[in-house]
Amino acid sequence: MGLEPENTLRSFVAAQQAGFDVIELDLHLSKDGALVVMHDTDVDRTTDGTGPIAEKTLAELRTLDAGRGEKVPVFEEVLEAVRAPLQAEIKDIAAARALAEVMLKRDLVGRVEVSSFHDEAIAEVSRLVPGVRTALIGSRYGTDIVERALEAGAATVCLNIRRITLEIVEHARKADLRIIGWVVNTQDHLRLVRALQLDGATTDYPEIKRTARFTA
């Protein structure tokens, strides 16, 4: 979220208070297998530490400052801190399996949608969690993103708004896929979302929410 330290409990609570429809977060596995909420593969950009997440235990990660004194959260803390629906982005198959275990244990199928850039991770979580809602994310893509989504079992494609075209939108519509644009932080991009009649968009800023339905 653009107004608070990203992927912190503080940012998720602020997003919920701003009235976002869905809150997006990013998941990695720590060295000891905890589902850690952070975007990058390392801690350098968003904390006062250095090094890969995968090489640090949860206890080590908890000593870091993630901004304004916030600690690096784990997934289950976010579940307790906010009640809004969540979109959890997973980075690999190992994270998919860990998330699937939590979702089954806590009966989260109705509350959590799972997204990923990686087809294999989407396919794995779909196999492990019957009825889970999934979304394939595309940064650099063509119309093949539709076939990839269908093969992985995704019902939604999340597409980089800077690369989206009418051809791709029409192709996705014919396949009955939902289409989400990301990241929509400007009025120009908002107008494009509306012109293409997308199903939603991801944004970093609460003020965008005043005129459309978005995820944070």
Side-chain angles (χ1 to χ4, degrees), residues 1-17 23-27 36-40 43 45-48 61-62 64-82 86 204 216:
M1 188 174 180
L3 303 181
E4 299 287 355
E6 67 177 68
N7 275 306
T8 61
L9 293 182
R10 182 184 183 120
S11 71
F12 299 134
V13 170
Q16 179 170 264
Q17 292 173 343
I23 296 174
E24 192 265 351
L25 51 83
D26 306 279
L27 296 176
V36 177
V37 183
M38 191 176 293
H39 181 274
D40 301 351
V43 303
R45 182 178 63 86
T46 57
T47 79
D48 60 350
L61 290 166
R62 297 291 252 176
L64 305 178
D65 185 345
R68 301 186 187 180
E70 288 286 299
K71 300 298 183 185
V72 175
V74 294
F75 179 57
E76 291 188 298
E77 287 179 319
V78 181
L79 292 173
E80 299 300 327
V82 299
L86 301 175
D204 294 320

Side-chain angles (χ1 to χ4, degrees), residues 125-140:
V125 78
S126 297
R127 182 183 71 82
L128 294 172
V129 185
V132 65
R133 293 170 292 118
T134 57
L136 181 63
I137 309 172
S139 179
R140 294 184 175 275

Side-chain angles (χ1 to χ4, degrees), residues 12 20 24 28 44 49 124 131 136 142 158 165 167 170 176 179:
F12 299 134
F20 282 104
E24 192 265 351
H28 290 272
D44 299 52
E124 182 69 357
L136 181 63
C158 298
T165 66
E167 180 187 15
E170 290 178 339
D176 293 324
I179 309 165

Side-chain angles (χ1 to χ4, degrees), residues 139 141 157-169 179-182 189 192-193 196 198 200:
S139 179
Y141 55 86
V157 285
C158 298
L159 303 178
N160 183 343
I161 196 69
R162 296 178 181 274
R163 296 183 62 86
I164 201 165
T165 66
L166 179 59
E167 180 187 15
I168 293 170
V169 169
I179 309 165
I180 304 296
W182 64 270
H189 287 156
L192 181 58
V193 167
L196 294 174
L198 303 188

Side-chain angles (χ1 to χ4, degrees), residues 92-189:
D92 53 36
I93 289 180
R97 291 170 180 159
L99 177 58
E101 183 178 345
V102 175
M103 290 186 68
L104 291 170
K105 179 181 178 182
R106 300 189 59 152
D107 190 22
L108 298 174
V109 173
R111 183 180 173 195
V112 177
E113 179 181 41
V114 181
S115 65
S116 183
F117 283 93
H118 305 290
D119 309 39
E120 299 84 357
I122 291 296
E124 182 69 357
V125 78
S126 297
R127 182 183 71 82
L128 294 172
V129 185
V132 65
R133 293 170 292 118
T134 57
L136 181 63
I137 309 172
S139 179
R140 294 184 175 275
Y141 55 86
T143 55
D144 64 301
I145 190 77
V146 172
E147 283 70 37
R148 288 172 50 203
L150 293 174
E151 186 174 351
T156 300
V157 285
C158 298
L159 303 178
N160 183 343
I161 196 69
R162 296 178 181 274
R163 296 183 62 86
I164 201 165
T165 66
L166 179 59
E167 180 187 15
I168 293 170
V169 169
E170 290 178 339
H171 194 43
R173 292 284 184 224
K174 289 177 181 177
D176 293 324
L177 294 174
R178 295 177 68 249
I179 309 165
I180 304 296
W182 64 270
V183 173
V184 178
N185 287 340
T186 70
Q187 289 300 313
D188 284 344
H189 287 156

